[in-house]
Amino acid sequence: MKISVVGCGYLGAVHAACMAELGHDVLGIDVDETKVAALSAGRAPFYEPGFEELLTRVLGTGRLRFTTAPGDDLADVDLHFIAVGTPQSGTGAADLSYVDAAITTLLAGAAPGSVVVGKSTVPVGTATQLADRLAERDIALVWNPEFLREGFAVADTLHPDRIVYGVPADPTDAQEAQAALDAVYRDLLEEGIPRIVTDYPTAELVKTAANSFLATKISFINAMAHLCDTAGADVTVLADAIGHDPRIGRRFLQAGVGFGGGCLPKDIRALQASADLHGAVHLADLLGRVDSINREQRDRIVELARTHVGGDLSGRAITILGAAFKPLSDDVRDSPALDVASRLADLGAEVTVCDPQALPVVARSHPHLTLEDDPRAALKGAELVLLLTEWDQFVALDPAEAATGVAERVIIDGRNALDPVAWREAGWTYAGVGR
Ligand code: UGA
């Protein structure tokens, strides 16, 4: 099929390449000329394992192109995906200006009878309004939320856990739109991936509910970690034990410095804003708590660092292992690691940050921090070490070898990723979160 993808950020670029991999003829559209030039040359504008290889391969087939000015090309397209960002606005609600701009572009160029598929994360009620605008040109809308994780974006797009369609209320329109999207995802559906067909509001809410539930799990275990700390219990063992219950599950029960990134924090705030708007007071309260627990985790780590250097951070040499919001990513949006690093620097510490992928991004956003990509060099002279992003190369550090370069053997494990026994045996003072 002929497909366009409007918005070639993280989601759109990966989606465009994966649709071409499935055999479709894909046009990626973005307003950012630098991004379009990089993607057209087979260069990923962000770090994502496996993406650049896929991009190069599908560009070679001639089935994928990128442009800033689609012009008449839009008229030939059967199905247009909207994959633009919906960042947090000043009020906490989602900013829909990029979605509106995408719809304006499509209204100008897309052919009557084509289908628009929304993948961006939007507040409940958005799709109904957009569908009314598109109906003026006889263009149907399906809402098809995306659940890919950074670090696993290609595999998650080609083999998702589930596919959700929010379809129009009119049964004939719904059937036609569903058939078009089924044709795009034929290979995935043949693989037996569950497909849930529902209305617009449910499809929109599935996405923010999924991210909010994950965030709630993390804040729950972080709140338990606080009790474990004061009661002398170990939250990691507790998580293992409750996680064996399949109704609970062990994943997303890793206590630590908390969640960050471009999705979970903004999505809980956007859902909170929607809940407020619709009078769902308990949901709004719950999400407010999830957010405040998460933000407090960062305060706790900063306080722990202050305590471990004897109360005064000024001039103290502190090494932070990790800058990305999670491993296998160079994304530092709302990164807990980088937030703690800059707060410690603001409090006067001499902070060195080490990360295998994110340092070029950090150099642009935080020029006052000292950056070092080799962990051994980063540890040299440190009076305190904090592990804040659990990259494999940090978790695999040999505590005895790490001890040789530091000034003081003190480590705060802000991800509960290290073996406390091994680090203590190598002479380190070890502090985790809730253990
Ligand atoms: C998240 C969702 O997991 C995806 O399903 C969703 O599609 C995506 O947002 C999105 O909306 O686009 P992602 O932002 O890539 O994906 O990151 P996650 O893997 O969910 O991790 C989020 C944060 O939670 C990270 O900072 C991670 O370190 C933290 N985390 C995760 C914990 O603190 N503890 C845990 O147990 C798990």
Side-chain angles (χ1 to χ4, degrees), residues 147-148 150 207 211 252-254 259-260 263 325-326 415:
F147 305 101
L148 68 80
E150 294 189 18
K207 169 65 196 218
N211 275 1
F252 279 70
L253 284 183
Q254 196 61 23
F259 58 80
C263 303
F325 84 105
K326 68 172 190 179
R415 291 290 181 181

Side-chain angles (χ1 to χ4, degrees), residues 229-291:
D229 260 334
T230 52
D234 185 335
V235 76
T236 63
V237 179
L238 179 137
D240 289 345
I242 64 172
H244 279 298
D245 181 337
R247 293 172 302 172
I248 297 174
R250 178 61 172 87
R251 295 171 77 187
F252 279 70
L253 284 183
Q254 196 61 23
V257 67
F259 58 80
C263 303
L264 262 50
K266 94 169 163 64
D267 287 355
I268 55 168
R269 290 170 201 149
L271 185 56
Q272 189 183 354
S274 288
D276 271 332
L277 194 69
H278 290 268
V281 286
H282 295 307
L283 179 60
D285 281 355
L286 174 69
L287 294 171
R289 282 289 175 188
V290 168
D291 197 8

Side-chain angles (χ1 to χ4, degrees), residues 340-394:
V340 169
S342 30
R343 282 160 68 176
L344 292 175
D346 289 347
L347 290 165
E350 300 288 335
V351 176
T352 300
V353 176
C354 181
D355 191 284
Q357 291 295 337
L359 296 189
V361 189
V362 180
R364 290 196 291 276
S365 62
H366 293 69
H368 58 296
L369 297 173
T370 304
L371 309 180
E372 179 54 71
D373 57 11
D374 173 31
R376 276 163 207 81
L379 290 173
K380 210 166 169 10
E383 294 170 82
L384 172 67
V385 181
L386 286 89
L387 173 73
L388 297 182
T389 313
E390 68 280 31
W391 285 95
D392 280 351
Q393 43 272 71
F394 297 152

Side-chain angles (χ1 to χ4, degrees), residues 139-403:
I139 297 170
L141 178 72
V142 180
W143 213 261
N144 172 223
E146 178 57 56
F147 305 101
L148 68 80
R149 298 159 297 167
E150 294 189 18
F152 303 91
V154 173
D156 283 355
T157 305
L158 292 173
H159 310 281
D161 294 333
R162 75 289 207 191
I163 301 173
V164 176
Y165 298 174
V167 297
D170 178 85
T172 314
D173 292 349
Q175 216 168 25
E176 281 173 19
Q178 181 179 329
L181 202 47
D182 278 352
V184 173
Y185 291 143
R186 194 192 59 207
D187 290 5
L188 279 58
L189 296 170
E190 279 175 2
E191 213 181 277
I193 292 165
R195 183 200 56 188
I196 293 124
V197 182
T198 181
D199 49 50
Y200 290 145
T202 308
E204 291 166 319
L205 282 174
V206 165
K207 169 65 196 218
T208 39
N211 275 1
S212 297
F213 188 75
L214 293 172
T216 303
K217 268 188 106 172
I218 300 168
S219 280
F220 172 79
I221 203 68
N222 280 330
M224 283 304 304
H226 189 208
L227 176 58
C228 287
D229 260 334
T230 52
D234 185 335
V235 76
T236 63
V237 179
L238 179 137
D240 289 345
I242 64 172
H244 279 298
D245 181 337
R247 293 172 302 172
I248 297 174
R250 178 61 172 87
R251 295 171 77 187
F252 279 70
L253 284 183
Q254 196 61 23
V257 67
F259 58 80
C263 303
L264 262 50
K266 94 169 163 64
D267 287 355
I268 55 168
R269 290 170 201 149
L271 185 56
Q272 189 183 354
S274 288
D276 271 332
L277 194 69
H278 290 268
V281 286
H282 295 307
L283 179 60
D285 281 355
L286 174 69
L287 294 171
R289 282 289 175 188
V290 168
D291 197 8
S292 63
I293 293 168
N294 191 54
R295 281 185 278 112
E296 259 177 45
Q297 289 308 107
R298 301 177 189 190
D299 302 342
R300 284 183 197 285
I301 296 288
V302 170
E303 269 320 296
L304 203 56
R306 192 207 295 274
T307 310
H308 277 279
V309 296
D312 183 8
L313 285 157
S314 56
R316 310 306 291 268
I318 297 184
T319 295
I320 311 271
L321 299 176
F325 84 105
K326 68 172 190 179
L328 296 178
S329 172
D330 64 353
D331 194 342
V332 297
R333 285 177 294 169
D334 206 349
S335 163
L338 198 52
D339 187 17
V340 169
S342 30
R343 282 160 68 176
L344 292 175
D346 289 347
L347 290 165
E350 300 288 335
V351 176
T352 300
V353 176
C354 181
D355 191 284
Q357 291 295 337
L359 296 189
V361 189
V362 180
R364 290 196 291 276
S365 62
H366 293 69
H368 58 296
L369 297 173
T370 304
L371 309 180
E372 179 54 71
D373 57 11
D374 173 31
R376 276 163 207 81
L379 290 173
K380 210 166 169 10
E383 294 170 82
L384 172 67
V385 181
L386 286 89
L387 173 73
L388 297 182
T389 313
E390 68 280 31
W391 285 95
D392 280 351
Q393 43 272 71
F394 297 152
V395 177
L397 280 173
D398 173 16
E401 200 188 319

Side-chain angles (χ1 to χ4, degrees), residues 74-89:
L74 280 179
D76 291 337
V77 170
D78 306 308
L79 199 137
H80 308 269
F81 284 101
I82 298 181
V84 293
T86 50
Q88 187 180 318
S89 71

Side-chain angles (χ1 to χ4, degrees), residues 2-22:
K2 285 193 188 321
I3 286 177
S4 83
V5 179
V6 186
C8 291
Y10 215 96
L11 163 60
V14 174
H15 194 71
C18 288
M19 292 305 104
E21 173 78 349
L22 292 177

